[in-house]
């Protein structure tokens, strides 16, 4: 598939023209960014709750000399005050022993409360990284109930077309863990990565677009309403996703079901909002529901934004390569591994290989 030809066929909007404002410098783009984020809040994910008044963290337990004596394993509970009300959620952290050089750190917004095959913790520690793990359902449930967990406090009336969806709420929680990491100076804030798979890959991308403290957005198999173009998808459509998971989004998003061409943007606008920070994208050959080709195409469309910052985004050939492949020479990393929908050890290692190079 020739990339340029396919993009022409899809007739995707360009953020360089669609706002009716000139975008020829990085200052123009920075001035545009709030409008891009506003568009995604109004039309897709709902309004991102504002930052809390305060955050504090309580230690539940800590085990030193863990991971073969190479690190510490700990459990915490984070409390935040939001408009005078308190909310809280648990998280854990695996941290290599501090030896004087700052530690690169992941925040993994995870499916599971206990790290399993989707988070190879000992290997992450062995490679010198810390990993904070937040189980998304510990923040609020993955369903249309807006009365539990953080949703009870952050939630808006769902009759509002722009009401905050669950993805934005999980994303808000990730930013609170980053608030905490920022109080700890053993961590390398220039190597702060957020990682998530699938619906949590969508959450990772949204977090990176909104929170500039995220320096590496490790977006794994995020597909529709994540890193894939919605127009011309060969996999999941907006109709599919809004039928099964309407509560991930704001109610206004429904109007684009079966009507992708009327979207005033496509997902490359959200990817572009992460520039000039690093997009670190993983897909899998057989994950057709996420449409690896449309994920690739979306990413190539961000390159002109990286250029405004004097950076090279994704260095890629004219055709989408045959899987498996890995492109890691620019400020953007993209790989398609063999296999199906999963956040695997190979994905983690590809992400760490890329971050190591910086
Ligand atoms: C699917 C959904 C995808 C993806 C996936 C997941 O059922 O349609 O968009 O988010 O769930 O999160 O595992």
């Amino acid at each position: 598939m020739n990339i340029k030809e396919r993009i022409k066929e899809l007739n995707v909007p360009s953020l360089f023209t669609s706002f009716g404002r000139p975008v020829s410098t990085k200052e123009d783009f920075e001035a545009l960014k709030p409008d891009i984020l506003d568009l995604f809040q109004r039309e897709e994910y709902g309004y991102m709750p504002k930052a809390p008044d305060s955050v504090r963290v309580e230690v539940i337990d800590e085990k030193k000399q863990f991971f073969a004596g190479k690190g510490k394993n700990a459990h915490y509970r984070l409390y935040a005050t939001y408009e005078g009300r308190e909310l809280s959620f648990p998280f854990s952290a695996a941290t290599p022993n501090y030896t004087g050089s700052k530690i690169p750190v992941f925040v993994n917004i995870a499916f599971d409360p206990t790290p399993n095959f989707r988070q190879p913790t000992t290997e992450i520690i062995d490679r010198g990284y810390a990993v904070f793990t937040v189980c998304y359902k510990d923040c609020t449930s993955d369903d249309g109930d807006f009365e539990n967990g953080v949703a009870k406090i952050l939630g808006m009336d769902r009759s509002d077309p722009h009401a905050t969806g669950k993805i934005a709420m999980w994303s808000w929680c990730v930013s609170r863990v980053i608030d905490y990491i920022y109080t700890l100076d053993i961590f390398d804030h220039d190597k702060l990565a957020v990682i998530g798979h699938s619906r949590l890959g969508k959450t990772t991308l949204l977090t990176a677009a909104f929170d500039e403290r995220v320096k590496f957005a490790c977006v794994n198999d995020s597909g529709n309403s994540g890193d894939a173009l919605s127009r011309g998808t060969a996999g999941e459509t907006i109709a599919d996703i809004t039928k099964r998971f309407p509560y991930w989004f704001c109610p206004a998003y429904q109007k684009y079901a079966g009507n992708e061409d009327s979207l005033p943007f496509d997902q490359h606008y959200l990817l572009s909002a992460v520039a000039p920070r690093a997009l670190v994208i993983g897909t899998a050959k057989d994950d057709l529901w996420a449409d690896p080709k449309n994920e690739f195409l979306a990413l190539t469309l961000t390159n002109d934004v990286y250029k405004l910052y004097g950076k090279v985004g994704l260095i890629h050939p004219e055709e989408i390569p045959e899987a498996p492949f890995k492109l890691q020479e620019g400020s953007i990393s993209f790989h398609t591994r063999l296999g199906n929908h999963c956040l695997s050890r190979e994905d983690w290692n590809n992400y760490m290989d890329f971050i190591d190079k910086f």
Side-chain angles (χ1 to χ4, degrees):
M1 178 187 289
N2 181 283
I3 294 164
K4 275 204 185 119
E5 282 166 17
R6 181 63 185 150
I7 283 171
K8 225 187 239 162
E9 266 168 33
L10 292 179
N11 203 15
V12 283
S14 161
L15 58 77
F16 289 87
T17 53
S18 70
F19 289 88
R21 307 215 312 250
V23 187
S24 50
T25 64
K26 71 172 191 222
E27 289 75 20
D28 294 342
F29 179 70
E30 303 260 313
L32 190 67
K33 207 169 131 177
D35 293 347
I36 298 174
L37 295 179
D38 196 53
L39 201 51
F40 279 102
Q41 293 179 91
R42 278 189 287 114
E43 301 302 313
E44 188 164 346
Y45 304 98
Y47 276 105
M48 183 65 84
K50 59 182 175 15
D53 309 322
S54 63
V55 170
R56 73 187 164 84
V57 166
E58 253 175 43
V59 182
I60 310 290
D61 65 57
E62 260 187 354
K63 289 196 182 76
K64 291 187 175 144
Q65 297 298 313
F66 211 73
F67 307 115
K70 293 181 187 174
K72 181 173 89 175
N73 198 31
H75 294 92
Y76 303 92
R77 189 159 198 98
L78 185 146
Y79 296 85
T81 314
Y82 187 86
E83 293 183 337
R85 298 166 75 195
E86 192 169 69
L87 54 82
S88 76
F89 58 89
F91 66 94
S92 62
T95 313
N97 296 331
Y98 182 61
T99 56
S101 49
K102 302 228 181 211
I103 302 167
V105 54
F106 281 103
V107 181
N108 180 15
I109 177 78
F111 280 92
D112 320 282
T114 314
N116 62 7
F117 68 97
R118 282 190 277 248
Q119 184 188 295
T121 312
T122 36
E123 186 154 6
I124 295 166
I125 293 282
D126 284 348
R127 290 193 61 156
Y129 287 75
V131 56
F132 284 65
T133 310
V134 189
C135 171
Y136 79 130
K137 285 186 186 165
D138 284 339
C139 301
T140 179
S141 62
D142 188 359
D143 56 25
D145 175 7
F146 282 82
E147 287 303 319
N148 71 85
V150 303
K152 200 171 163 56
I153 292 180
L154 303 178
M156 295 164 64
D157 190 337
R158 290 293 286 173
S159 64
D160 183 325
H162 314 296
T164 313
K166 288 282 174 96
I167 289 178
M169 292 186 188
W170 298 320
S171 167
W172 186 89
C173 292
V174 172
S175 286
R176 306 296 62 87
V177 174
I178 297 175
D179 292 342
Y180 176 57
I181 292 172
Y182 258 64
T183 65
L184 305 168
D185 60 12
I186 61 166
F187 294 110
D188 184 349
H189 299 155
D190 291 330
K191 285 200 168 175
L192 194 154
V194 173
I195 185 166
H197 168 62
S198 204
R199 67 200 69 184
L200 304 173
K202 309 182 211 297
T203 306
T204 296
L205 176 56
L206 190 68
T207 309
F210 273 85
D211 192 332
E212 307 233 333
R213 297 172 299 179
V214 179
K215 297 296 188 281
F216 296 86
C218 302
V219 178
N220 199 75
D221 297 356
S222 69
N224 187 272
S225 308
D227 66 354
L229 291 175
S230 300
R231 284 169 175 80
T233 177
E236 186 173 30
T237 63
I238 296 179
D240 294 324
I241 206 167
T242 54
K243 189 159 178 242
R244 290 172 67 205
F245 308 108
Y247 49 86
W248 286 355
F249 307 100
C250 64
Y253 196 40
Q254 299 279 349
K255 66 176 181 269
Y256 302 106
N259 199 13
E260 274 83 358
D261 284 333
S262 69
L263 274 172
F265 55 83
D266 211 316
Q267 292 303 117
H268 61 299
Y269 282 34
L270 192 61
L271 290 162
S272 298
V274 180
R277 292 165 291 130
L279 284 161
V280 197
I281 307 284
T283 61
K285 184 169 182 252
D286 299 332
D287 189 8
L288 301 179
W289 191 237
D291 195 349
K293 293 207 164 66
N294 261 25
E295 295 184 291
F296 192 97
L297 294 175
L299 214 55
T300 66
L301 285 165
T302 65
N303 275 354
D304 286 340
V305 175
Y306 280 84
K307 231 183 257 164
L308 296 178
Y309 289 90
K311 294 207 170 194
V312 183
L314 181 70
I315 300 180
H316 64 87
E318 279 173 27
E319 305 266 334
I320 301 182
E322 280 303 313
F325 69 89
K326 181 155 89 165
L327 300 170
Q328 297 198 307
E329 296 308 314
S331 299
I332 295 178
S333 167
F334 189 101
H335 73 259
T336 302
R337 60 163 171 77
L338 297 180
N340 58 22
H341 193 65
C342 184
L343 174 53
S344 70
R345 178 183 164 278
E346 182 179 345
D347 296 309
W348 278 93
N349 278 318
N350 279 342
Y351 299 146
M352 289 188 281
D353 289 346
F354 182 73
I355 300 171
D356 279 353
K357 289 202 297 190
F358 277 75

